[in-house]
Amino acid sequence: MSRRPEDPPLFYRAHVFCCTNERPEGHPRGCCKGKGSERLRNYMKARAKELGLKDVRINASGCLDRCELGPSVVVYPEGVWYTVRTPEDVDEVLKTPLIEGGRVRRLMMDAPASATPSTAD
Amino acid sequence: MSRRPEDPPLFYRAHVFCCTNERPEGHPRGCCKGKGSERLRNYMKARAKELGLKDVRINASGCLDRCELGPSVVVYPEGVWYTVRTPEDVDEVLKTPLIEGGRVRRLMMDAPASATPSTAD
């Protein structure tokens, strides 16, 4: 289910979803809100505005179901997921994927095989 | 910012976001929640589960900023937007984009030019 030539243009060049789901304290899976995701999302939204990023939307979302790896952030249309723990992590996601169109490997949840250290001698 | 060959595989084959934002009654832009979006999202989530749809996630989200056209639903990675007003609309989005990989033109927010009636004689 990728884009088709006849699909309308993307409404947002980059559409970011930050999980802000909260679970009861002590839940075995934890939750993104318990790891500060709401504050980080608010910071991301404010910084995107300050930077004048056009055609970019920073949304809060319900549980993205990757709780153990959170605070969870997914950037569409590329569908790349990041663990965003600090304001510095937010800044890096704004700079690299959203401004430069790159990827932040050190924060990526599903690191490509080529990015994992080799086990060969 | 489309997908790159080296990007990790998509975590969800289809990732659906349903705006459930609420604004105060009488707000000039209206809101998706005021048009029943929360109930529709819950129905969509339950039906997707009943249908056994794999690798599909139906999320609630904050304001997607297309309030006037809501209840707003966007399907990624294709980034196609739908106005979903009834359970029948939900069923059609589940069947056509999520199961068959197609598009539901009658519900699409940004109809491609080829879908608009010609003004020529």
Side-chain angles (χ1 to χ4, degrees):
Chain A
M1 278 196 279
S2 51
R3 283 182 60 73
R4 295 177 173 186
E6 70 271 24
D7 281 338
L10 287 171
F11 190 75
Y12 296 120
R13 176 173 62 81
H15 201 168
V16 180
F17 294 91
C18 305
C19 178
T20 57
N21 189 53
E22 182 171 23
R23 286 223 183 80
E25 188 127 350
H27 189 287
R29 295 195 68 192
C31 64
C32 289
K33 192 167 181 180
K35 296 172 194 167
S37 67
E38 201 165 50
R39 186 176 48 81
L40 291 162
R41 182 262 170 174
N42 292 342
Y43 173 73
M44 193 176 207
K45 188 176 178 181
R47 280 298 293 152
K49 193 173 179 182
E50 285 168 4
L51 291 165
L53 291 190
K54 301 283 184 204
D55 307 324
V56 164
R57 181 116 185 132
I58 314 293
N59 269 114
S61 83
C63 178
L64 298 174
D65 206 25
R66 306 196 73 179
C67 320
E68 295 79 0
L69 299 173
S72 303
V73 169
V74 58
V75 182
Y76 281 108
E78 62 257 44
V80 175
W81 293 70
Y82 297 103
T83 301
V84 174
R85 294 188 183 89
T86 67
E88 291 71 29
D89 292 350
V90 169
D91 289 338
E92 206 166 336
V93 171
L94 286 168
K95 179 175 179 290
T96 308
L98 302 196
I99 296 175
E100 299 170 358
R103 305 289 185 261
V104 188
R105 283 186 177 258
R106 77 169 184 91
L107 304 178
M108 215 182 270
M109 280 191 192
D110 313 283
S114 62
T116 55
S118 169
T119 54
D121 290 335
Chain B
M1 277 194 276
S2 51
R3 283 181 61 73
R4 295 177 173 186
E6 69 271 23
D7 282 337
L10 288 172
F11 189 74
Y12 296 121
R13 176 173 62 82
H15 201 169
V16 180
F17 295 91
C18 306
C19 177
T20 56
N21 188 53
E22 182 171 23
R23 285 222 185 78
E25 188 127 349
H27 190 286
R29 295 196 67 194
C31 66
C32 289
K33 193 167 181 180
K35 298 173 193 167
S37 67
E38 201 166 51
R39 186 177 47 83
L40 290 163
R41 183 262 170 175
N42 292 342
Y43 172 72
M44 193 177 207
K45 188 176 178 183
R47 279 298 293 153
K49 192 171 179 184
E50 284 169 4
L51 291 165
L53 292 189
K54 300 285 182 204
D55 305 325
V56 164
R57 181 111 185 138
I58 315 293
N59 268 116
S61 84
C63 179
L64 298 174
D65 206 25
R66 306 197 74 181
C67 319
E68 295 80 359
L69 300 174
S72 304
V73 168
V74 58
V75 182
Y76 281 107
E78 62 256 44
V80 176
W81 294 69
Y82 298 102
T83 301
V84 175
R85 294 187 183 89
T86 66
E88 291 71 28
D89 292 350
V90 169
D91 288 338
E92 206 166 335
V93 171
L94 287 167
K95 179 177 180 289
T96 307
L98 302 196
I99 296 175
E100 298 171 358
R103 306 289 184 259
V104 187
R105 285 189 174 257
R106 77 170 186 90
L107 303 178
M108 216 181 268
M109 282 192 190
D110 313 284
S114 61
T116 57
S118 171
T119 55
D121 291 332

